[in-house]
Amino acid sequence: MRFFLALLWLLLALAVLVKLTSRGPVLYRQPRMGLNGRTFDMFKFRSMRVDAERDSGPVWAVRGDDRCTPLGRLMRRWSLDELPQLWNVLKGEMSLVGPRPFFERDLDYYEIHHFGRLGAKPGITGLWQVSGRSDIVDFEEVVALDTRYIREWSLLLDLKILLLTIPAVFRRKGSA
């Protein structure tokens, strides 16, 4: 219970900080595809300028991205911008562990084998995150990790990934 209370306070504090340090909404909604191709809005704390996608298009954030706000850089470094996805978990759209959800806008570029990632509920963390996070930029490697997770899924694997997520976040290796 104390953990959830502390988490609630952290979420509220981050929401207030986002609002006080930059103009625009606190949360960023992004259409994604999950299990069996169902679309949903994935939530994140907004870490970039409001007009970031209009100025440079929807691209992955990279280290040193000038579209990030100062607070956004800090949140990304510690993966705090991902915490609102707990709402997606509570709504049943995501899981704590699983493949990252698809960008709906990229479907035209996907090959047949990429769609295997839709065979599991998307997760906040997964093999990709504990294997290098955004240091792994080869999409085929990300797909391979996600499909391996689906193929080898077990409760023990989920627990292992959850435990490996903690040091991955604290090492900040691969964080944008």
Side-chain angles (χ1 to χ4, degrees), residues 90-104:
L90 289 173
K91 289 174 61 180
E93 298 162 331
M94 291 181 70
S95 179
L96 291 177
V97 181
R100 286 306 287 169
F102 272 41
F103 286 100
E104 197 174 11

PDB file of all heavy atoms in Angstrom, residues 90-104:
ATOM      1  N   LEU A  90      -3.976  -0.551 -16.287  1.00  0.00           N
ATOM      2  CA  LEU A  90      -5.234  -0.684 -15.532  1.00  0.00           C
ATOM      3  C   LEU A  90      -6.435  -0.808 -16.460  1.00  0.00           C
ATOM      4  O   LEU A  90      -7.396  -1.515 -16.145  1.00  0.00           O
ATOM      5  CB  LEU A  90      -5.424   0.503 -14.589  1.00  0.00           C
ATOM      6  CG  LEU A  90      -4.485   0.555 -13.390  1.00  0.00           C
ATOM      7  CD1 LEU A  90      -4.660   1.860 -12.628  1.00  0.00           C
ATOM      8  CD2 LEU A  90      -4.707  -0.641 -12.480  1.00  0.00           C
ATOM      9  N   LYS A  91      -6.387  -0.155 -17.622  1.00  0.00           N
ATOM     10  CA  LYS A  91      -7.480  -0.243 -18.595  1.00  0.00           C
ATOM     11  C   LYS A  91      -7.448  -1.545 -19.389  1.00  0.00           C
ATOM     12  O   LYS A  91      -8.349  -1.817 -20.168  1.00  0.00           O
ATOM     13  CB  LYS A  91      -7.411   0.943 -19.560  1.00  0.00           C
ATOM     14  CG  LYS A  91      -7.796   2.262 -18.915  1.00  0.00           C
ATOM     15  CD  LYS A  91      -7.588   3.436 -19.853  1.00  0.00           C
ATOM     16  CE  LYS A  91      -8.410   3.329 -21.101  1.00  0.00           C
ATOM     17  NZ  LYS A  91      -8.220   4.449 -22.027  1.00  0.00           N
ATOM     18  N   GLY A  92      -6.382  -2.347 -19.227  1.00  0.00           N
ATOM     19  CA  GLY A  92      -6.276  -3.614 -19.930  1.00  0.00           C
ATOM     20  C   GLY A  92      -5.720  -3.509 -21.343  1.00  0.00           C
ATOM     21  O   GLY A  92      -5.716  -4.485 -22.085  1.00  0.00           O
ATOM     22  N   GLU A  93      -5.215  -2.328 -21.724  1.00  0.00           N
ATOM     23  CA  GLU A  93      -4.665  -2.125 -23.062  1.00  0.00           C
ATOM     24  C   GLU A  93      -3.200  -2.539 -23.147  1.00  0.00           C
ATOM     25  O   GLU A  93      -2.701  -2.858 -24.224  1.00  0.00           O
ATOM     26  CB  GLU A  93      -4.781  -0.642 -23.450  1.00  0.00           C
ATOM     27  CG  GLU A  93      -6.204  -0.163 -23.500  1.00  0.00           C
ATOM     28  CD  GLU A  93      -6.323   1.347 -23.460  1.00  0.00           C
ATOM     29  OE1 GLU A  93      -5.449   2.027 -22.882  1.00  0.00           O
ATOM     30  OE2 GLU A  93      -7.313   1.854 -24.004  1.00  0.00           O
ATOM     31  N   MET A  94      -2.532  -2.487 -22.005  1.00  0.00           N
ATOM     32  CA  MET A  94      -1.117  -2.839 -21.935  1.00  0.00           C
ATOM     33  C   MET A  94      -0.890  -3.741 -20.734  1.00  0.00           C
ATOM     34  O   MET A  94      -1.756  -3.893 -19.882  1.00  0.00           O
ATOM     35  CB  MET A  94      -0.243  -1.572 -21.794  1.00  0.00           C
ATOM     36  CG  MET A  94      -0.216  -0.696 -23.031  1.00  0.00           C
ATOM     37  SD  MET A  94       0.836   0.773 -22.833  1.00  0.00           S
ATOM     38  CE  MET A  94       2.469   0.041 -22.816  1.00  0.00           C
ATOM     39  N   SER A  95       0.306  -4.290 -20.695  1.00  0.00           N
ATOM     40  CA  SER A  95       0.752  -5.114 -19.579  1.00  0.00           C
ATOM     41  C   SER A  95       2.017  -4.473 -19.024  1.00  0.00           C
ATOM     42  O   SER A  95       2.597  -3.593 -19.650  1.00  0.00           O
ATOM     43  CB  SER A  95       1.043  -6.528 -20.104  1.00  0.00           C
ATOM     44  OG  SER A  95       1.495  -7.356 -19.073  1.00  0.00           O
ATOM     45  N   LEU A  96       2.454  -4.910 -17.854  1.00  0.00           N
ATOM     46  CA  LEU A  96       3.726  -4.399 -17.346  1.00  0.00           C
ATOM     47  C   LEU A  96       4.871  -4.841 -18.246  1.00  0.00           C
ATOM     48  O   LEU A  96       5.797  -4.079 -18.517  1.00  0.00           O
ATOM     49  CB  LEU A  96       3.974  -4.879 -15.914  1.00  0.00           C
ATOM     50  CG  LEU A  96       3.067  -4.290 -14.846  1.00  0.00           C
ATOM     51  CD1 LEU A  96       3.378  -4.917 -13.491  1.00  0.00           C
ATOM     52  CD2 LEU A  96       3.199  -2.776 -14.777  1.00  0.00           C
ATOM     53  N   VAL A  97       4.813  -6.093 -18.744  1.00  0.00           N
ATOM     54  CA  VAL A  97       5.876  -6.653 -19.576  1.00  0.00           C
ATOM     55  C   VAL A  97       5.278  -7.102 -20.907  1.00  0.00           C
ATOM     56  O   VAL A  97       4.210  -7.700 -20.944  1.00  0.00           O
ATOM     57  CB  VAL A  97       6.553  -7.856 -18.884  1.00  0.00           C
ATOM     58  CG1 VAL A  97       7.672  -8.415 -19.753  1.00  0.00           C
ATOM     59  CG2 VAL A  97       7.077  -7.472 -17.512  1.00  0.00           C
ATOM     60  N   GLY A  98       5.988  -6.817 -21.978  1.00  0.00           N
ATOM     61  CA  GLY A  98       5.538  -7.242 -23.303  1.00  0.00           C
ATOM     62  C   GLY A  98       6.277  -6.482 -24.380  1.00  0.00           C
ATOM     63  O   GLY A  98       7.143  -5.655 -24.087  1.00  0.00           O
ATOM     64  N   PRO A  99       5.962  -6.731 -25.639  1.00  0.00           N
ATOM     65  CA  PRO A  99       6.581  -5.967 -26.727  1.00  0.00           C
ATOM     66  C   PRO A  99       6.088  -4.525 -26.698  1.00  0.00           C
ATOM     67  O   PRO A  99       5.007  -4.243 -26.182  1.00  0.00           O
ATOM     68  CB  PRO A  99       6.101  -6.690 -27.986  1.00  0.00           C
ATOM     69  CG  PRO A  99       4.880  -7.423 -27.578  1.00  0.00           C
ATOM     70  CD  PRO A  99       5.007  -7.730 -26.116  1.00  0.00           C
ATOM     71  N   ARG A 100       6.882  -3.615 -27.224  1.00  0.00           N
ATOM     72  CA  ARG A 100       6.429  -2.230 -27.306  1.00  0.00           C
ATOM     73  C   ARG A 100       5.289  -2.154 -28.320  1.00  0.00           C
ATOM     74  O   ARG A 100       5.302  -2.852 -29.334  1.00  0.00           O
ATOM     75  CB  ARG A 100       7.568  -1.293 -27.723  1.00  0.00           C
ATOM     76  CG  ARG A 100       8.562  -1.052 -26.628  1.00  0.00           C
ATOM     77  CD  ARG A 100       7.954  -0.561 -25.336  1.00  0.00           C
ATOM     78  NE  ARG A 100       7.510   0.824 -25.436  1.00  0.00           N
ATOM     79  CZ  ARG A 100       6.753   1.423 -24.527  1.00  0.00           C
ATOM     80  NH1 ARG A 100       6.319   0.777 -23.479  1.00  0.00           N
ATOM     81  NH2 ARG A 100       6.411   2.666 -24.688  1.00  0.00           N
ATOM     82  N   PRO A 101       4.295  -1.292 -28.054  1.00  0.00           N
ATOM     83  CA  PRO A 101       3.174  -1.182 -28.991  1.00  0.00           C
ATOM     84  C   PRO A 101       3.581  -0.523 -30.308  1.00  0.00           C
ATOM     85  O   PRO A 101       4.466   0.314 -30.343  1.00  0.00           O
ATOM     86  CB  PRO A 101       2.159  -0.323 -28.225  1.00  0.00           C
ATOM     87  CG  PRO A 101       2.942   0.391 -27.195  1.00  0.00           C
ATOM     88  CD  PRO A 101       4.138  -0.445 -26.876  1.00  0.00           C
ATOM     89  N   PHE A 102       2.911  -0.942 -31.368  1.00  0.00           N
ATOM     90  CA  PHE A 102       3.157  -0.422 -32.721  1.00  0.00           C
ATOM     91  C   PHE A 102       2.789   1.054 -32.816  1.00  0.00           C
ATOM     92  O   PHE A 102       1.834   1.512 -32.217  1.00  0.00           O
ATOM     93  CB  PHE A 102       2.209  -1.121 -33.710  1.00  0.00           C
ATOM     94  CG  PHE A 102       2.702  -2.399 -34.283  1.00  0.00           C
ATOM     95  CD1 PHE A 102       3.370  -3.336 -33.530  1.00  0.00           C
ATOM     96  CD2 PHE A 102       2.461  -2.691 -35.616  1.00  0.00           C
ATOM     97  CE1 PHE A 102       3.789  -4.523 -34.075  1.00  0.00           C
ATOM     98  CE2 PHE A 102       2.871  -3.879 -36.168  1.00  0.00           C
ATOM     99  CZ  PHE A 102       3.542  -4.798 -35.399  1.00  0.00           C
ATOM    100  N   PHE A 103       3.523   1.746 -33.663  1.00  0.00           N
ATOM    101  CA  PHE A 103       3.091   3.067 -34.128  1.00  0.00           C
ATOM    102  C   PHE A 103       2.154   2.809 -35.295  1.00  0.00           C
ATOM    103  O   PHE A 103       2.558   2.234 -36.312  1.00  0.00           O
ATOM    104  CB  PHE A 103       4.277   3.898 -34.631  1.00  0.00           C
ATOM    105  CG  PHE A 103       5.154   4.422 -33.546  1.00  0.00           C
ATOM    106  CD1 PHE A 103       6.340   3.784 -33.227  1.00  0.00           C
ATOM    107  CD2 PHE A 103       4.807   5.571 -32.854  1.00  0.00           C
ATOM    108  CE1 PHE A 103       7.171   4.273 -32.235  1.00  0.00           C
ATOM    109  CE2 PHE A 103       5.625   6.069 -31.853  1.00  0.00           C
ATOM    110  CZ  PHE A 103       6.811   5.421 -31.546  1.00  0.00           C
ATOM    111  N   GLU A 104       0.934   3.219 -35.170  1.00  0.00           N
ATOM    112  CA  GLU A 104      -0.055   3.001 -36.222  1.00  0.00           C
ATOM    113  C   GLU A 104       0.383   3.639 -37.543  1.00  0.00           C
ATOM    114  O   GLU A 104       0.179   3.088 -38.616  1.00  0.00           O
ATOM    115  CB  GLU A 104      -1.393   3.576 -35.756  1.00  0.00           C
ATOM    116  CG  GLU A 104      -2.571   3.105 -36.511  1.00  0.00           C
ATOM    117  CD  GLU A 104      -3.870   3.615 -35.897  1.00  0.00           C
ATOM    118  OE1 GLU A 104      -3.845   4.496 -35.024  1.00  0.00           O
ATOM    119  OE2 GLU A 104      -4.916   3.126 -36.329  1.00  0.00           O
TER     120      GLU A 104
END
